[in-house]
């Protein structure tokens, strides 16, 4: 403005007019440049389900029962503290069924070592209490253990384990042939309960010992029909997750300072967010990053379903905002904005949010991988580029897990 003023050769009145207009324009620009304050909120909107995985098994014949000498196998994922529950009818009975101990077959020792080999001692034989064992007449008694039959002599259970994927394979073999309790096994069902970091969401899956039965287990125990239980399990099975504290960055420029799709992790701290939810390293690294105008952290603890975290931030016209938070029940995944966002925008940003794989740890089934931070593990290292998470696992849509809003 000063140079313009010195070059003006008009009358004093003209000079004063120009000065006055210039002063007004400067005042308007200063008002526009006052940083605006916003609040960004991250809400965990995932619906918790009892089971992280479930399914069924059966024989290969018609009907698909498992006869003496035959086997069936199931493959599933699990981490320390989780267990496998299954149920199948003792075919030569009125209402007996095999099921593992509550909350299921123990899969890891207390120090996190996978249990493998013969685990037949985990199976028990149960009386459903809905039919008289001799006459088949209806009765209404609680579920109790059949005390005079050793279930482990009729059914052999063998576990194998893939440490990289944290996958188990359970082989169920009918060994009742030639015994006093020879019997076929019906098709069966299985499930692994979700774990929230402190406890299983369902510690008594399928049935409650010493209580009256339910329609789902009754159909298995009396007819070997798993349809009702399969439907119930399907409705109550799904991946859930916690979120980590979120890192929020206000910046100038074309490059997102948190990550670059298709490039390797740069070691500044994204790995720590994606693997453990720790934002400190990236927060400190970005302090000297070109174009950074502000760094903020929302929350200071894991965010379970139904909870939210938020932080205030300031931004000028022309600033952009970037954010990242861990998909907590993963090995190395994080949510972040996929496209650049005007930092002065308001509203719901969930549609601009994407789930990414940092490429720093080998993936395992979300919420059921023993190397995940959820179970106190450390991911097996890998060196892949940052990419969008694909469809290998049945992950809920972004908007069904996280809601990001700015007000």
């Amino acid at each position: 403005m000063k140079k313009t003023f010195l070059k003006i050769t008009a009358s004093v009145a003209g000079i004063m007019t120009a000065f006055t207009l210039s002063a007004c324009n400067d005042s308007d620009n200063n008002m526009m440049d006052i940083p605006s304050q916003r609040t960004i909120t991250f809400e965990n909107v995932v619906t918790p389900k009892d089971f992280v995985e479930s399914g069924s098994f059966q024989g290969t014949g018609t009907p698909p029962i498992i006869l003496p000498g035959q086997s069936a196998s199931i493959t599933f994922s699990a981490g320390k503290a989780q267990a496998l529950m299954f149920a199948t009818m003792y075919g030569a009975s009125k209402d007996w069924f095999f099921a593992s101990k509550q909350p299921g077959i123990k899969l890891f020792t207390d120090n996190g070592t996978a249990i493998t080999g013969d685990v037949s001692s985990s199976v028990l034989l149960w009386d459903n209490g809905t039919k008289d064992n001799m006459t088949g007449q209806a009765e209404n008694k609680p579920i109790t253990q059949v005390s005079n039959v050793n279930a482990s002599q009729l059914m052999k259970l063998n576990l194998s384990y893939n440490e990289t994927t944290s996958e188990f394979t359970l082989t169920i073999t009918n060994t009742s042939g030639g015994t006093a309790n020879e019997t076929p096994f019906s098709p069966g069902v299985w499930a692994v309960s979700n774990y929230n970091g402190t406890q299983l969401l369902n510690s008594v899956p399928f049935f409650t010992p010493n209580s009256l039965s339910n329609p789902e287990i009754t159909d298995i125990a009396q007819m070997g029909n798993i349809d009702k239980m399969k439907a119930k399990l399907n409705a109550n099975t799904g991946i859930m997750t916690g979120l980590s504290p979120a890192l929020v960055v206000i910046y100038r420029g074309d490059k997102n300072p948190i990550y670059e799709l298709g490039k390797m992790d740069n070691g500044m701290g994204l790995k720590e967010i994606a693997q453990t939810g720790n934002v400190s390293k990236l927060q400190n690294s970005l302090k000297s990053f070109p174009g950074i105008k502000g760094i903020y952290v929302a929350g200071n603890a894991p965010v379970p379903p139904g909870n939210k975290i938020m932080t205030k931030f300031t931004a000028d016209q022309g600033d952009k905002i970037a954010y990242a938070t861990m998909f907590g029940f993963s090995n190395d995944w994080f949510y972040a904005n996929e496209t650049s966002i005007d930092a002065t925008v308001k509203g719901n940003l969930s549609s601009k949010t994407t789930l990414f794989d940092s490429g720093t740890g080998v993936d395992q089934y979300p919420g059921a991988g023993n190397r995940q931070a959820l179970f106190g593990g450390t991911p097996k290292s890998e060196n892949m580029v940052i990419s969008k998470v694909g469809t290998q696992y049945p992950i809920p849509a972004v908007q069904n897990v996280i809601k990001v809003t700015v007000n």
Side-chain angles (χ1 to χ4, degrees), residues 209-240:
N210 302 314
S211 297
L212 294 178
S213 189
N214 55 68
E216 296 81 19
I217 203 70
T218 294
D219 272 12
I220 294 176
Q222 292 185 171
M223 301 177 290
N225 188 328
I226 62 175
D227 291 346
K228 286 181 181 177
M229 184 63 83
K230 281 180 64 177
K232 185 175 182 179
L233 290 176
N234 287 339
N236 288 281
T237 298
I239 291 172
M240 56 175 269

Side-chain angles (χ1 to χ4, degrees), residues 318-395:
D319 289 347
K320 296 178 181 178
I321 187 170
Y323 51 84
T325 178
M326 180 189 182
F327 184 102
F329 291 9
S330 72
N331 296 77
D332 67 336
W333 295 353
F334 65 98
Y335 285 110
N337 54 301
E338 182 176 355
T339 58
S340 63
I341 301 174
D342 182 342
T344 61
V345 73
K346 287 187 177 182
N348 192 330
L349 304 183
S350 303
S351 64
K352 298 181 181 296
T353 305
T354 300
L355 182 59
F356 295 97
D357 186 330
S358 72
T360 59
V362 175
D363 292 337
Q364 297 173 331
Y365 199 98
N370 203 45
R371 281 185 170 268
Q372 293 163 3
L374 172 68
F375 302 100
T378 301
K380 184 176 180 181
S381 180
E382 69 175 1
N383 293 293
M384 306 290 286
V385 299
I386 298 170
S387 61
K388 297 180 186 181
V389 172
T391 58
Q392 180 179 358
Y393 305 106
I395 306 156

Side-chain angles (χ1 to χ4, degrees), residues 80-81 106-113 115:
K80 186 173 67 172
K106 186 173 183 179
L107 302 169
F108 294 89
T109 63
D110 293 340
N111 66 5
T113 302
I115 296 172

Side-chain angles (χ1 to χ4, degrees), residues 31-78:
M31 289 180 66
M32 289 179 65
D33 288 342
I34 295 174
S36 60
Q37 189 171 72
R38 300 277 192 270
T39 298
I40 185 168
T41 302
F42 302 86
E43 184 176 0
N44 187 335
V45 296
V46 73
T47 300
K49 299 292 186 74
D50 279 356
F51 307 106
V52 65
E53 271 192 292
S54 63
S56 61
F57 60 90
Q58 62 183 33
T60 57
T62 304
I65 58 178
I66 303 169
L67 296 170
Q70 295 181 340
S71 299
S73 294
I74 57 176
T75 298
F76 59 94
S77 298

Side-chain angles (χ1 to χ4, degrees), residues 56-137:
S56 61
F57 60 90
Q58 62 183 33
T60 57
T62 304
I65 58 178
I66 303 169
L67 296 170
Q70 295 181 340
S71 299
S73 294
I74 57 176
T75 298
F76 59 94
S77 298
K80 186 173 67 172
Q82 289 178 308
L84 174 75
M85 191 65 184
F86 76 92
T88 176
M89 181 188 182
Y90 177 106
S93 73
K94 302 296 191 293
D95 67 340
W96 289 1
F97 65 96
F98 293 97
S100 43
K101 296 178 179 178
Q102 301 287 358
I105 298 173
K106 186 173 183 179
L107 302 169
F108 294 89
T109 63
D110 293 340
N111 66 5
T113 302
I115 296 172
T116 59
D118 192 334
V119 293
S120 304
S121 60
S122 298
V123 67
L124 298 174
L125 186 57
W126 302 89
D127 185 332
N128 195 54
T130 51
K131 283 191 174 183
D132 182 273
N133 292 329
M134 299 300 294
T135 66
Q137 293 297 309

Side-chain angles (χ1 to χ4, degrees), residues 10-315:
S11 65
V12 173
I15 293 173
M16 292 307 296
T17 301
F19 179 79
T20 301
L21 291 172
S22 179
C24 289
N25 289 336
D26 279 353
S27 176
D28 290 343
N29 287 335
N30 287 339
M31 289 180 66
M32 289 179 65
D33 288 342
I34 295 174
S36 60
Q37 189 171 72
R38 300 277 192 270
T39 298
I40 185 168
T41 302
F42 302 86
E43 184 176 0
N44 187 335
V45 296
V46 73
T47 300
K49 299 292 186 74
D50 279 356
F51 307 106
V52 65
E53 271 192 292
S54 63
S56 61
F57 60 90
Q58 62 183 33
T60 57
T62 304
I65 58 178
I66 303 169
L67 296 170
Q70 295 181 340
S71 299
S73 294
I74 57 176
T75 298
F76 59 94
S77 298
K80 186 173 67 172
Q82 289 178 308
L84 174 75
M85 191 65 184
F86 76 92
T88 176
M89 181 188 182
Y90 177 106
S93 73
K94 302 296 191 293
D95 67 340
W96 289 1
F97 65 96
F98 293 97
S100 43
K101 296 178 179 178
Q102 301 287 358
I105 298 173
K106 186 173 183 179
L107 302 169
F108 294 89
T109 63
D110 293 340
N111 66 5
T113 302
I115 296 172
T116 59
D118 192 334
V119 293
S120 304
S121 60
S122 298
V123 67
L124 298 174
L125 186 57
W126 302 89
D127 185 332
N128 195 54
T130 51
K131 283 191 174 183
D132 182 273
N133 292 329
M134 299 300 294
T135 66
Q137 293 297 309
E139 59 183 13
N140 194 33
K141 295 180 178 180
I143 297 173
T144 56
Q145 186 179 342
V146 178
S147 58
N148 59 344
V149 178
N150 187 341
S152 64
Q153 292 182 352
L154 310 179
M155 175 183 290
K156 181 179 179 181
L157 303 176
N158 189 81
L159 274 177
S160 61
Y161 181 64
N162 182 321
E163 195 273 339
T164 298
T165 60
S166 198
E167 284 185 331
F168 288 89
T169 297
L170 176 71
T171 301
I172 302 170
T173 303
N174 187 333
T175 56
S176 68
T179 71
N181 299 100
E182 184 169 332
T183 181
F185 304 156
S186 74
V189 289
W190 62 269
V192 177
S193 292
N194 255 315
Y195 179 67
N196 65 7
T198 59
Q199 63 183 15
L200 296 175
L201 267 61
N202 192 330
S203 60
V204 283
F206 297 7
F207 69 98
T208 302
N210 302 314
S211 297
L212 294 178
S213 189
N214 55 68
E216 296 81 19
I217 203 70
T218 294
D219 272 12
I220 294 176
Q222 292 185 171
M223 301 177 290
N225 188 328
I226 62 175
D227 291 346
K228 286 181 181 177
M229 184 63 83
K230 281 180 64 177
K232 185 175 182 179
L233 290 176
N234 287 339
N236 288 281
T237 298
I239 291 172
M240 56 175 269
T241 187
L243 302 173
S244 73
L247 187 70
V248 180
V249 183
I250 306 302
Y251 70 101
R252 287 284 178 104
D254 297 327
K255 184 177 179 181
N256 187 318
I258 293 178
Y259 77 97
E260 191 170 357
L261 189 65
K263 298 292 183 67
M264 304 284 287
D265 175 73
N266 59 18
M268 292 179 63
L270 178 63
K271 171 183 174 181
E272 284 69 22
I273 294 179
Q275 291 193 5
T276 66
N278 189 333
V279 302
S280 298
K281 183 176 179 180
L282 187 55
Q283 180 185 15
N284 291 328
S285 296
L286 290 178
K287 290 178 180 178
S288 59
F289 196 84
I292 298 298
K293 298 190 65 179
I295 304 171
Y296 307 86
V297 177
N300 56 15
V303 186
N307 286 253
K308 64 179 70 174
I309 52 176
M310 61 188 70
T311 184
K312 293 183 181 299
F313 66 91
T314 56

